[in-house]
């Protein structure tokens, strides 16, 4: 089960996105993080209990007194995550577009994890032959040629 954290400033549709993510992918464990509690609890080098952290972007227009507060919260969140060493993805949009961006971030993580586990160890092979003694012979021939 993939654990997803959603955080962002007030009025960034975190709760709506959480519901949409769970509807689209019931196998996800989605947690909406209270940014005030998170800011107080993060410490440098802290390990995240989540597989992916999604930060809500501030792309939607804000009016009145909400705009400066949201920008301040966003800056504080990014700074706290960076200080703690927790990687995150910023997602933008509204409605279906926001859901698609969130699913894209989750799918990219799953794809990266799958490819890491399915890779075989790299083994060097000669481009021109399949003889394991080829390099030794080449080196021996070069050394012998220097002696001439």
């Amino acid at each position: 089960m993939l654990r997803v954290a959603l955080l962002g400033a007030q009025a960034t549709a975190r709760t709506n996105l959480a519901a949409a993510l769970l509807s689209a992918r019931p196998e996800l464990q989605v947690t909406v993080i209270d940014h005030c509690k998170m800011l107080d609890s993060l410490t440098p080098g802290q390990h995240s209990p989540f597989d992916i952290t999604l930060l809500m972007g501030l792309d939607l227009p804000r009016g009145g007194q909400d705009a400066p507060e949201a920008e301040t919260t966003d800056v504080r969140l990014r700074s706290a995550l960076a200080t703690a060493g927790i990687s995150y993805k910023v997602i933008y949009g509204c409605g279906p577009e926001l859901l698609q961006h969130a699913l894209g971030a989750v799918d990219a993580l799953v794809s990266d994890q799958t490819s890491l586990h399915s890779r075989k160890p790299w083994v060097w092979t000669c481009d021109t032959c399949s003889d394991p003694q080829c390099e030794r012979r080449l080196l021996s021939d070069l050394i012998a040629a220097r002696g001439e």
Side-chain angles (χ1 to χ4, degrees):
M1 178 176 292
L2 195 66
R3 297 162 305 197
V4 180
L6 288 177
L7 63 141
Q10 293 291 12
T12 53
R14 294 169 297 172
T15 307
N16 293 343
L17 178 58
L21 277 170
L22 287 172
S23 178
R25 301 277 175 79
E27 72 276 9
L28 297 177
Q29 179 183 342
V30 181
T31 304
V32 177
I33 306 293
D34 179 340
H35 66 277
C36 293
K37 289 179 184 175
M38 198 257 340
L39 286 170
D40 293 338
S41 67
L42 279 181
T43 58
Q46 179 177 343
H47 176 71
S48 174
F50 300 100
D51 297 307
I52 186 168
T53 299
L54 301 177
L55 178 64
M56 307 298 286
L58 298 179
D59 57 331
L60 301 177
R62 298 180 189 288
Q65 298 173 345
D66 286 348
E69 184 180 326
E71 289 173 10
T72 301
T73 300
D74 187 68
V75 169
R76 289 183 63 211
L77 285 170
R78 291 173 190 244
S79 177
L81 289 167
T83 299
I86 297 173
S87 62
Y88 60 93
K89 301 268 186 197
V90 181
I91 54 173
Y92 298 97
C94 62
E97 182 183 39
L98 181 62
L99 175 61
Q100 289 307 312
H101 289 167
L103 289 172
V106 168
D107 290 343
L109 175 70
V110 170
S111 175
D112 286 349
Q113 288 178 343
T114 302
S115 67
L116 282 176
H117 294 299
S118 64
R119 288 184 193 161
K120 293 183 179 173
W122 182 77
V123 177
W124 182 85
T125 58
C126 181
D127 290 339
T128 58
C129 71
S130 61
D131 183 355
Q133 298 298 321
C134 180
E135 187 174 350
R136 180 170 290 167
R137 254 195 323 266
L138 251 164
L139 185 58
S140 298
D141 291 347
L142 286 172
I143 292 172
R146 279 188 182 173
E148 294 178 0

